[in-house]
Amino acid sequence: KEHDLLCVTGDLGASYIGLQILEREKQIWKENPDVQPDLEGHDYVLERFLKPEARVDIIAALAEKDIIPTSMMDISDGLGSEVLHICKQSNCGAKVFEEKLPIDATTATQAKEFNIEPSLCAMNGGEDYELLFTVNQKDFEKVNVMEGVHIIGHIADATEGAAVVYPRGEEIYIKAQGWKAF
């Protein structure tokens, strides 16, 4: 429904950066098989990529707080793609606020080392095993204090489309970039 809150769990983009690191090290190894991969300092993003964990804890936490999501799906193809799925299935639009995207500082730093904007990793990376869901605005106070849950925007009228809203008010329409695993 219009004005429902758009929420995500955890932080986003780490799996994407983990894959980028492994791809980079693979290319270096192909050029020189005697060189060992340099994975030091990349533990967090590599673990998020290699050992993702489904967020079943959130289902229990929502039930405990008596919050019934109006929609929910896992983020397997990237946040942008999943927002578009919800919009299509619900005949609505969405506003995602870029500054509200949960991106771990390590992920952001390592994204910048690849000259990738961290919010692009969050919107287009996938396999984070996090959840995207909507809840009625009446549940704002309950959701806002849940550990590991972030309110990133809201559902809008279908005529508004689905867009990322940047801090200065610029809106960029979401396009599904798609996650390509191996």
Side-chain angles (χ1 to χ4, degrees):
K1 289 185 337 188
E2 193 173 339
H3 303 295
D4 275 5
L5 302 172
L6 197 56
C7 308
V8 296
T9 61
D11 62 274
L12 305 173
S15 291
Y16 181 78
I17 294 301
L19 176 60
Q20 296 305 307
I21 289 167
L22 291 176
E23 288 291 334
R24 177 191 67 197
E25 294 305 312
K26 177 181 169 185
Q27 289 304 317
I28 292 169
W29 179 80
K30 280 181 165 180
E31 292 172 16
N32 184 354
D34 294 329
V35 174
Q36 291 294 309
D38 180 12
L39 303 176
E40 190 172 325
H42 303 293
D43 298 350
Y44 176 73
V45 294
L46 291 172
E47 186 168 326
R48 293 279 298 179
F49 177 70
L50 296 170
K51 298 187 224 172
E53 293 184 25
R55 296 302 306 267
V56 293
D57 60 314
I58 297 299
I59 306 302
L62 289 167
E64 183 179 299
K65 292 193 175 284
D66 198 30
I67 299 170
I68 300 172
T70 51
S71 66
M72 180 181 279
M73 63 190 320
D74 70 331
I75 301 174
S76 58
D77 294 330
L79 178 61
S81 178
E82 309 310 2
V83 167
L84 291 175
H85 284 305
I86 285 178
C87 290
K88 182 178 179 183
Q89 294 298 317
S90 303
N91 192 30
C92 64
K95 301 296 179 190
V96 174
F97 296 94
E98 190 257 356
E99 75 270 10
K100 299 288 185 184
L101 293 172
I103 303 168
D104 182 82
T106 302
T107 301
T109 299
Q110 292 175 357
K112 289 175 183 173
E113 289 173 12
F114 281 99
N115 293 317
I116 301 171
E117 185 60 40
S119 62
L120 291 176
C121 295
M123 291 301 295
N124 300 312
E127 299 302 330
D128 283 317
Y129 281 72
E130 298 296 344
L131 297 172
L132 168 66
F133 62 97
T134 58
V135 296
N136 190 291
Q137 279 203 5
K138 71 177 176 56
D139 291 323
F140 173 82
E141 294 298 329
K142 292 191 258 182
V143 171
N144 198 39
V145 297
M146 288 181 69
E147 188 173 330
V149 174
H150 310 274
I151 299 170
I152 61 166
H154 62 85
I155 297 299
D157 186 87
T159 60
E160 295 183 52
V164 176
V165 181
Y166 288 84
R168 293 194 171 140
E170 177 186 16
E171 292 188 17
I172 306 284
Y173 287 99
I174 297 171
K175 293 180 179 148
Q177 302 293 318
W179 168 257
K180 292 178 178 55
F182 302 112

